[in-house]
Amino acid sequence: MTPAAVLAATPMSTGEMWVFIPLGILALVGALGMVAARNAVHSALFLVLTMLCLGVFYIVQSGPFLGVAQIIVYTGAIMMLFLFVLMLVGRDASDSLIETLRGQRVAAILLGVGFAGLVCVGLGRALAGTTAKGLAEANSAHGGNVQGLASLLFTRYVFAFEVTSALLITAAVGAMLLAHIERRKGERPTQPEQMRARFAPGNYPAPKAGPGVYATSDSVATAGLLPDGTLAARSIPEILPPRELTSSETAPKGTDR
Amino acid sequence: MEHTVQFAPATGLLSGMWLLVALPAVSAAVLLLLGRRADRWGHWLGCLSVGAAFVLGLLSFFALRGQENRAVQLNLWEFISAGSFRVDFGLLFDPLSAVFVLLITGVGFLIHVYAVGYMEHDEGRRRFFGYFNLFVAAMLVLVLGNNYVMTFLGWEGVGLASYLLISFWYVRPSAATAGKKAFLMNRVGDAAFVIAIFLLFAQLGTVNFDGVANQVHTLSSGVTLMLGLLLLLGATGKSGQFPLTAWLPDAMEGPTPVSALIHAATMVTGGVYLIARSNFIFTANSTLQLVVVSVGALTLLIGAIIGCAKDDIKRVLAWSTVSQIGYMFLGVGLGGAAYALAIVHLLAHGFFKAGLFLGAGSVMHGMRDQVDIRRFGGLWKYMKITWVTFGLAWLAIIGLPPLSGFFSKEPIIVAAFERKDWTAWLFGIAALLGAGLTAFYMTRLFMLTFHGPKRWTDDIEHPHESPPIMTIPLVLLAVGSVAAGGLMVGPVPKWLTPVLGHEVRGEAVLAHSAITILAIAVTLIGAGLAYLLFRDGTATAPQPAGALVTAARKNLYIDAFNEAVFEKPGIFLTRALVFLDGKGIDGAVNGIAASVGGGSGRLRRLQTGFVRSYAMSMLTGALLVVAAFLAVQYGWFA
Amino acid sequence: MTLTPEWYLLLAAALFTIGAVGVLIRRNAIVLFMCVELMLNAANLALVTFSRINGTLDGQIIAFFVMVVAAAEVVVGLAIIMSIFRTRRSASVDDSNLLKY
């Protein structure tokens, strides 16, 4: 019998209690933090905290396999996927403080409190006085939690298991379809096309000149000088002086011969 | 019934009697279908077809005289066959049909010829003749049918032709309305006629005249009464009798030849024909006869009283027609010998009333379609032929011996006095009074039109006599007006004996000679009174008058009564139904739709497009579900 | 003071509610998704606790399936968010509100 199995006997042992109280508080803090954090990355990190706590709870409640899976699959894979997407979308995409739906926030909180209250009252009344059997017996029947889960999974729940595999495949293919941007052959410019575009009138084929370096200023906002002494507009970023090429600049210079 | 009615099959010339109907019918079809291509010669074709039908009618008449059984029928084809119900398209040529055929085609021919002149300047003349021929064909079907369904076929046909011709000048609202009025009021009578036919079939299983005549004695008196009343209502509708009298005067909106042929000489006598043809039903029930007599007496007085007060030459003649047909109803109601007398009066009336109408048309022709007798006067100098013929017809209608009216009307008055009980006095005096009134209003009409000072409107300088094509028919009809009565009063009742039974004279409550003298006396009094009153003309504007004259000018409030009792409630009912339909039924339907639509319009505002709103409603739902679970589980609401 | 395993359930209820409220009040689609994940996790905690109370492993099995399904859901959901972001340059769920009355 593993120590975890011993802990699962009812009621909570003192050790379990000391695990539950701080981690439970931490999990709540993580959950609240996730909802409250304005920055989506912070939200994700708060969620990771909560999930880790839950993983520990699983282990404490005689479910080492689920606990480990929670930590590896959720916090490791899924939450990383979240962070990955967050980075793609732009982590600055934080919520504005202005609520667009009138009364939504207040109503949501009231509803939440009411819902939680109802469920807690219901749970309290329903489960008062029940005794937990503990999983010691079930886990030891097959020689351990993982073996017990495996024997159930591949016997009674084998059909659901197979269906789940189909679901996973479908989800993977679906995600690929959704995320994939298809480029047809014709849409992609060929090398000769790219070269022609580079030397086409209106485009400057050579590398752009760097900004000017002067005794008074070496800012990127100061344009460099051309051999004829005029300022090279192309040497500073486009956003600074929004201007177009003049006709003399777009005229062929004999380089394309 | 002691003797059975039997019709012999038609042979020889009589087997061609279908041509009587076919000639005008084909002519009508040609005129109406060829359209404008027939404009140049269409009127002559119309006259020719009716003339040919008249010649054929005469030949058939003489052929019938040579027959032993003076009733021949010709079943052309099976008309309707449904189960045990079988109606043949059958024609019957018997003495009654024969006299009607001669009247319709003879007078009809003359009026056709007259109309060629009268309608000369009307661009719808070809259409007019098409309708006119259609009318003649339908009228011949009416009088030649050998069963009630055929009669009804013709009955509806003449109704249609009448409607088309009354509203011939359909651009005039008054003419269109008059046509509608005639059509609608006729529908009332026609519905009764149809129900009578249904009843006949239901009770006897046949609608053939011979079958009904032979079996009518098997019917209970109640059924006979019902049948007779329905037929009577049908007859009153077609003949403009009380209570369906109001349409006939308005029918004068049509061209004058129409008034002469349809609304004086032939179609309106269809009711008399129907009752005479159904004499076996009416004879079988004395109550029925009393009703018919009452209708006749009442109508003849109504027509005469209103006729005295009218100023429109055609309206006076129309009310006169109503009154004279009242005499005929009186005759057919009295039964026995009076059936034949009514037919004689019908024939004589056909002549002199057609003559009067055509004369009126001739006057209007010369006076730029003026119809107000207050605007005539002194015309005798300008239209001599019209004056003479109109005068002869006038003397005929007021019943002055030895003209035809005397011979045809006086016997009916005598017959009215021959009733068995006190009603002899009632109806006899009503008939006498009617004769006096007839004399009064016809004399008034004649004096105001042809004598006295000129009261013409300013636009008339020199009234002219009508062309010969109009005056020749006038002359011929005048000859008929003079001679018809005297010639027919003897032979025609004998001729009609096979149909209407033997002449059985009752005992009059007064001596025959006394009645005759009385009749002539009231006629002379009425005519003299009118002469004295109107020899110097009359005012051209309406004069204030007493209650009776005002009532008479307003058609004795018959129109007002119809309007108040039938039209107004009908309109109100229609409006109520429209309102109920619009606000109630449509309102309910549309209201439900609108409330659903409006409610949906508001409900759809919940579809904000914001996912979070939807999520909120989901959470609310979850909350409610949990609350419900707990409530049920712990009985919080129990 | 002794605590019974029901306290895990109460904690799960609290976490679930926090997740639900988060779904309602956050607008960033990715954060929204995280809140959904939190709700799933709260459910998982409840399942594991039930498993313990009942003394069978079925609850854990179901929690396992929930995890798998959640993983699939996250993959598809994030892909959807990505494609929406690519076309609209926004990850706010309030900006995708064209499907309305």
Side-chain angles (χ1 to χ4, degrees):
Chain A
M1 194 178 279
T2 60
V6 175
L7 280 174
T10 180
M12 284 191 207
S13 63
T14 316
E16 187 186 356
M17 209 166 76
W18 281 115
V19 173
F20 176 76
I21 291 172
L23 286 188
I25 291 168
L26 215 54
L28 279 174
V29 166
L32 289 169
M34 178 202 71
V35 173
R38 281 194 60 206
N39 193 318
V41 177
H42 296 171
S43 284
L45 293 175
F46 276 121
L47 186 58
V48 167
L49 174 65
T50 305
M51 284 177 171
L52 285 173
C53 295
L54 290 186
V56 175
F57 287 151
Y58 295 167
I59 295 168
V60 168
Q61 297 203 70
S62 318
F65 173 75
L66 270 186
V68 172
Q70 167 84 2
I71 289 165
I72 295 173
V73 174
Y74 258 114
T75 45
I78 294 181
M79 286 321 296
M80 288 314 111
L81 189 59
F82 267 102
L83 283 174
F84 197 69
V85 171
L86 267 177
M87 296 305 166
L88 270 177
V89 166
R91 61 176 187 82
D92 58 330
S94 53
D95 285 359
S96 67
L97 286 172
I98 303 156
E99 174 61 60
T100 44
L101 301 179
R102 193 155 47 90
Q104 173 89 2
R105 201 167 285 179
V106 177
I109 289 167
L110 281 178
L111 265 179
V113 170
F115 185 79
L118 271 179
V119 172
C120 290
V121 167
L123 280 174
R125 291 189 64 161
L127 296 176
T130 52
T131 54
K133 287 179 183 162
L135 283 169
E137 200 181 327
N139 274 344
S140 61
H142 293 280
N145 178 254
V146 180
Q147 288 90 333
L149 282 180
S151 68
L152 271 179
L153 210 51
F154 295 115
T155 54
R156 193 192 298 176
Y157 295 101
V158 70
F159 183 69
F161 186 73
E162 293 299 332
V163 170
T164 315
S165 69
L167 177 72
L168 278 173
I169 290 287
T170 314
V173 172
M176 262 166 59
L177 261 175
L178 283 167
H180 181 64
I181 302 169
E182 191 173 357
R183 275 232 179 80
R184 292 204 180 78
K185 227 175 192 174
E187 289 171 1
R188 198 166 152 190
T190 57
Q191 203 277 330
E193 277 171 356
Q194 286 178 13
M195 201 177 72
R196 267 186 219 106
R198 186 176 168 207
F199 290 104
N203 194 36
Y204 187 74
K208 289 169 185 169
V213 178
Y214 305 98
T216 52
S217 165
D218 59 352
S219 158
V220 289
T222 47
L225 286 178
L226 288 175
D228 58 354
T230 55
L231 291 172
R234 210 175 279 115
S235 64
I236 52 175
E238 282 174 4
I239 51 167
L240 290 178
R243 61 185 288 272
E244 292 167 358
L245 293 180
T246 59
S247 56
S248 65
E249 284 169 321
T250 58
K253 296 180 177 61
T255 51
D256 53 343
R257 287 208 187 116
Chain B
M1 275 285 177
E2 59 271 25
H3 73 284
T4 53
V5 177
Q6 205 171 1
F7 300 149
T11 53
L13 181 73
L14 286 172
S15 61
M17 65 181 166
W18 58 273
L19 276 171
L20 282 171
V21 178
L23 283 171
V26 168
S27 169
V30 166
L31 290 180
L32 293 176
L33 291 179
L34 275 189
R36 256 181 240 139
R37 273 159 287 185
D39 269 355
R40 274 190 307 119
W41 44 267
H43 44 284
W44 294 120
L45 176 67
C47 293
L48 188 69
S49 66
V50 179
F54 176 61
V55 173
L56 189 63
L58 268 182
L59 293 175
S60 305
F61 172 72
F62 288 115
L64 190 68
R65 286 186 63 171
Q67 293 261 344
E68 186 62 31
N69 183 351
R70 283 183 181 172
V72 293
Q73 65 176 355
L74 178 67
N75 281 333
L76 290 175
W77 65 80
E78 196 174 75
F79 185 32
I80 299 171
S81 176
S84 63
F85 185 59
R86 205 185 110 104
V87 178
D88 282 319
F89 199 94
L91 303 178
L92 167 69
F93 200 72
D94 71 347
L96 186 60
S97 304
V99 294
F100 268 93
V101 166
L102 290 181
L103 174 74
I104 294 158
T105 53
V107 176
F109 175 66
L110 292 179
I111 297 175
H112 270 68
V113 172
Y114 173 92
V116 171
Y118 188 84
M119 301 295 286
E120 194 175 1
H121 304 298
D122 195 297
E123 54 186 27
R125 180 161 69 166
R126 184 217 15 107
R127 183 165 61 91
F128 176 84
F129 273 89
Y131 293 161
F132 232 28
N133 278 357
L134 178 67
F135 165 76
V136 171
M139 192 69 203
L140 288 171
V141 169
L142 199 167
V143 298
L144 282 174
N146 77 343
N147 56 58
Y148 280 100
V149 173
M150 286 296 291
T151 304
F152 185 71
L153 188 69
W155 194 264
E156 289 302 304
V158 294
L160 170 68
S162 162
Y163 165 74
L164 290 171
L165 286 165
I166 293 171
S167 28
F168 180 74
W169 288 312
Y170 49 81
V171 289
R172 279 192 210 157
S174 60
T177 312
K180 257 190 294 185
K181 185 174 180 181
F183 206 70
L184 286 175
M185 291 197 79
N186 267 302
R187 290 277 76 64
V188 179
D190 294 352
F193 190 6
V194 171
I195 296 170
I197 296 174
F198 294 163
L199 194 61
L200 272 177
F201 177 70
Q203 293 289 328
L204 300 177
T206 179
V207 292
N208 289 339
F209 292 137
D210 50 354
V212 174
N214 292 333
Q215 292 178 53
V216 74
H217 62 278
T218 61
L219 294 175
S220 69
S221 69
V223 173
T224 315
L225 181 63
M226 193 67 220
L227 204 54
L229 287 178
L230 287 169
L231 287 173
L232 176 63
L233 187 58
T236 56
K238 195 56 81 192
S239 293
Q241 297 294 290
F242 183 82
L244 298 175
T245 188
W247 67 270
L248 185 53
D250 283 1
M252 299 303 135
E253 288 291 340
T256 307
V258 173
S259 308
L261 178 60
I262 301 185
H263 304 120
T266 55
M267 186 190 82
V268 290
T269 59
V272 181
Y273 168 80
L274 183 67
I275 294 177
R277 176 60 81 192
S278 312
N279 61 77
F280 35 81
I281 296 173
F282 285 87
T283 313
N285 192 312
S286 58
T287 317
L288 207 49
Q289 286 185 316
L290 183 63
V291 174
V292 179
V293 172
S294 309
V295 166
L298 187 59
T299 313
L300 83 87
L301 285 177
I302 288 175
I305 290 170
I306 299 176
C308 293
K310 289 286 166 183
D311 294 320
D312 179 327
I313 185 166
K314 286 178 73 181
R315 301 272 160 135
V316 174
L317 291 176
W319 284 109
S320 162
T321 304
V322 170
S323 171
Q324 296 302 312
I325 297 172
Y327 271 108
M328 298 172 208
F329 268 62
L330 186 67
V332 289
L334 290 169
Y339 274 122
L341 299 176
I343 300 299
V344 171
H345 189 53
L346 190 157
L347 297 173
H349 175 256
F351 281 104
F352 57 67
K353 187 51 67 62
L356 286 169
F357 264 113
L358 296 189
S362 177
V363 170
M364 286 158 59
H365 198 69
M367 298 288 283
R368 301 196 177 203
D369 286 334
Q370 177 62 261
V371 291
D372 192 339
I373 52 174
R374 291 171 304 194
R375 311 297 298 198
F376 293 148
L379 285 176
W380 65 277
K381 244 184 285 178
Y382 299 94
M383 15 181 99
K384 289 260 178 3
I385 301 174
T386 308
W387 174 56
V388 170
T389 55
F390 199 95
L392 287 173
W394 158 59
L395 292 175
I397 193 174
I398 66 174
L400 218 58
L403 282 81
S404 65
F406 170 74
F407 291 106
S408 63
K409 200 194 294 178
E410 187 262 352
I412 294 180
I413 301 173
V414 174
F417 276 109
E418 278 171 7
R419 281 184 70 85
K420 297 279 186 299
D421 47 10
W422 59 272
T423 54
W425 289 102
L426 182 69
F427 295 122
I429 289 171
L432 270 180
L433 193 61
L437 286 169
T438 306
F440 177 81
Y441 68 73
M442 284 311 299
T443 308
R444 169 176 177 264
L445 179 71
F446 185 75
M447 294 304 294
L448 287 180
T449 304
F450 290 101
H451 296 278
K454 298 172 187 174
R455 300 177 302 277
W456 308 341
T457 46
D458 299 335
D459 55 339
I460 296 164
E461 288 170 6
H462 191 79
H464 60 86
E465 180 58 281
S466 302
I469 196 158
M470 288 166 70
T471 51
I472 289 169
L474 279 177
V475 171
L476 290 174
L477 285 171
V479 170
S481 308
V482 172
L487 290 178
M488 288 189 301
V489 74
V492 169
K494 274 197 195 68
W495 165 253
L496 290 173
T497 302
V499 184
L500 302 174
H502 290 280
E503 200 171 338
V504 190
R505 301 228 61 137
E507 200 62 37
V509 288
L510 284 172
H512 193 144
S513 53
I515 298 168
T516 309
I517 291 168
L518 264 177
I520 296 174
V522 294
T523 304
L524 287 176
I525 291 170
L529 206 58
Y531 174 75
L532 290 176
L533 278 174
F534 296 107
R535 73 186 154 176
D536 294 329
T538 185
T540 53
Q543 298 296 308
L548 181 63
V549 177
T550 311
R553 279 179 187 164
K554 292 188 171 163
N555 299 346
L556 290 181
Y557 303 115
I558 292 171
D559 284 336
F561 177 83
N562 284 341
E563 196 171 303
V565 175
F566 298 110
E567 195 181 332
K568 285 279 166 60
I571 290 173
F572 179 77
L573 184 67
T574 312
R575 290 219 179 108
L577 284 177
V578 167
F579 180 81
L580 187 71
D581 187 52
K583 301 281 157 148
I585 295 169
D586 282 9
V589 172
N590 293 340
I592 289 169
S595 58
V596 168
S600 309
R602 268 170 214 108
L603 269 179
R604 73 176 189 167
R605 294 278 154 189
L606 293 176
Q607 297 285 323
T608 52
F610 292 112
V611 162
R612 295 186 301 137
S613 301
Y614 307 156
M616 172 95 89
S617 50
M618 279 170 72
L619 184 61
T620 312
L623 183 86
L624 290 176
V625 168
V626 170
F629 274 156
L630 293 177
V632 171
Q633 184 70 37
Y634 300 113
W636 286 348
F637 301 128
Chain C
M1 186 183 103
T2 54
L3 292 177
T4 53
E6 283 91 72
W7 282 88
Y8 286 107
L9 297 176
L10 298 182
L11 176 66
L15 291 178
F16 185 89
T17 311
I18 291 168
V21 172
V23 168
L24 295 187
I25 64 176
R26 295 305 299 263
R27 265 164 294 170
N28 188 323
I30 300 166
V31 179
L32 220 87
F33 237 111
M34 291 184 214
C35 294
V36 173
E37 290 305 317
L38 179 63
M39 289 161 78
L40 285 169
N41 270 292
N44 273 354
L45 179 61
L47 285 170
V48 171
T49 311
F50 284 139
S51 177
R52 176 187 180 187
I53 292 172
N54 287 333
T56 60
L57 285 175
D58 297 283
Q60 292 197 5
I61 294 282
I62 293 172
F64 171 78
F65 279 126
V66 170
M67 265 187 213
V68 177
V69 173
E73 173 231 340
V74 163
V75 167
V76 176
L78 286 178
I80 290 172
I81 289 171
M82 279 295 299
S83 57
I84 288 175
F85 183 79
R86 268 209 301 262
T87 51
R88 310 185 140 251
R89 310 308 301 172
S90 163
S92 169
V93 288
D94 283 0
D95 289 345
S96 311
N97 66 346
L98 290 179
L99 191 63
K100 61 179 174 184
Y101 53 85

